[in-house]
Structure formats: C-alpha cells, structure tokens
Amino acid sequence: MPYELLNVIAVSAFAFSGAIVALSERYDIFGTFILGIATAFAGGIIRNIALDVPVVHVWEQGYLFYVALITISIVYIFPKNWVMFWDRWNIYLDAVGLSAFALQGAVFAIGNGFPLGGVIFSAILTGVGGGVTRDVLAQRRPMVLHQEIYAVWALASGLLVGVGVIQIDSGVQTYALFILIMGCRVLSYHLGWHLRFRDLYRL
C-alpha cells in the first residue's frame, strides 16, 4: 500500500510538472499532454530498458495512466497567469517526483532480485528519467547535468534501500525516506550545494 500511494504521488507530481513546463513554453494541448505523460512515465520505461526487463507501456499503466491524464487536464484549464507562478515552484514538484520515483525504482529492483548495484542504478534511472525527458523535450538544460545536487539523492535512496537500512515492508520507514530525500533535494536547491570540484577546492 505505501508504494501504491507513492506511485500516485510521483505520477501526479511529474505529470503536473511536465504540463506546467509545456504551458510555460507555449505548447498546444497535444504537446502539453505528451510532455506531461512523458515526464510521468519515461523514468520507468528507461529503467526497464536499461535493466533488460519487460517494458510496461504507457497504455498498460492502469489507473496511473488516468491519474496522469486527470492531472494534466486540471493543469491545462488553469488560468494562464497561474502557469508562470507554478513554473517558479516547479522545483518542489520535481523534488516530490524524484524522491517517490527513486524509492519506487529501488523497490522494483529488489523485487526483481537485482544486487545492490542494480538497486542503486534502478533508483537513479527511475528518479531522474522523467525530469531529464521533460527538460530535453522542452529544450531546457536537464537539471541533473547542471543544477544543485540532484541525482545523488536518488542514489542515496537506492543505497539506503539496497543495504537494508530502510526496510521496504515498513510504511513508516518508507515515508520517512521519501520525506528525507525530498527535503534534501529542496535543501540542496536553496543552499546551492554543488558537486563541482572547483567549489570544493575553494573551501
């Protein structure tokens, strides 16, 4: 049950984020839905391809597909002056999706019997895949390549789950990790934490 709810949260957050970016870039209704759906589901598809497991197509996502469609539809009917407001707050939506999907990716890898390396790899791909796809399709520089610490938080989620620090059958620990990773991502954004060696050298 915790992971079902996290899936809903992640899909909603990334679908919302993708739709907001599409509208801020003046995409039409078709482009808005395509970008919103791609943001919500690309991470899982990229992960499955990379791990050589069967790909669950977008139209086979069940109720999650309808969650994404409803979310995008709500965003599309927003008053247009709300779009730029939400675009400025997109970092928070992205943090929610990153944290929830990274955790989902780690659990997916464990369920399929992957070792620690596979769990971490799955968490990273699932967590950052949607955001990278969104930014590339919107012709923006992907956050993972130039902004504050980003993929490291997905890696941390996979590591904590993979080594057993977080028990995946515990709802309390699951949500605690979700909030922790989300908070770390937001904190790294506001404090401007980077992994650039020249910044470490200056310290």
Side-chain angles (χ1 to χ4, degrees):
M1 187 64 186
Y3 300 103
E4 292 296 320
L5 181 55
L6 282 178
N7 279 336
V8 172
I9 292 172
V11 167
S12 298
F14 266 8
F16 195 107
S17 175
I20 287 294
V21 169
L23 290 175
S24 69
E25 298 292 336
R26 300 185 182 279
Y27 283 30
D28 61 13
I29 185 171
F30 180 76
T32 300
F33 274 88
I34 290 297
L35 192 56
I37 291 171
T39 306
F41 298 112
I45 293 173
I46 293 170
R47 174 202 65 210
N48 286 21
I49 293 173
L51 296 179
D52 195 26
V53 299
V55 174
V56 179
H57 299 290
V58 170
W59 54 87
E60 298 174 335
Q61 296 286 344
Y63 70 91
L64 293 176
F65 179 64
Y66 298 106
V67 168
L69 289 180
I70 292 171
T71 302
I72 297 166
S73 299
I74 292 172
V75 173
Y76 193 79
I77 63 175
F78 274 174
K80 299 309 176 186
N81 60 330
W82 287 18
V83 173
M84 295 310 299
F85 168 79
W86 278 109
D87 194 35
R88 289 193 296 268
W89 289 83
N90 216 354
I91 175 62
Y92 300 101
L93 296 171
D94 193 81
V96 172
L98 170 71
S99 179
F101 269 134
L103 183 53
Q104 191 263 2
V107 173
F108 175 87
I110 288 178
N112 282 274
F114 284 93
L116 177 60
V119 175
I120 294 174
F121 189 60
S122 177
I124 294 173
L125 287 182
T126 314
V128 308
V132 170
T133 302
R134 174 200 61 213
D135 293 339
V136 170
L137 291 178
Q139 299 183 12
R140 296 183 174 187
R141 289 189 301 166
M143 291 183 183
V144 69
L145 299 180
H146 75 97
Q147 291 224 6
E148 300 75 14
I149 299 176
Y150 189 83
V152 171
W153 301 125
L155 183 154
S157 182
L159 179 63
L160 291 173
V161 171
V163 299
V165 173
I166 299 297
Q167 301 298 317
I168 61 175
D169 56 350
S170 170
V172 173
Q173 294 187 31
T174 298
Y175 289 123
L177 179 60
F178 165 66
I179 294 170
L180 174 64
I181 298 300
M182 181 175 60
C184 286
R185 169 61 189 132
V186 171
L187 193 62
S188 67
Y189 170 79
H190 285 292
L191 296 182
W193 292 345
H194 291 274
L195 290 178
R196 294 192 297 247
F197 285 110
R198 65 174 182 268
D199 293 341
L200 296 175
Y201 177 77
R202 289 170 183 169
L203 294 176

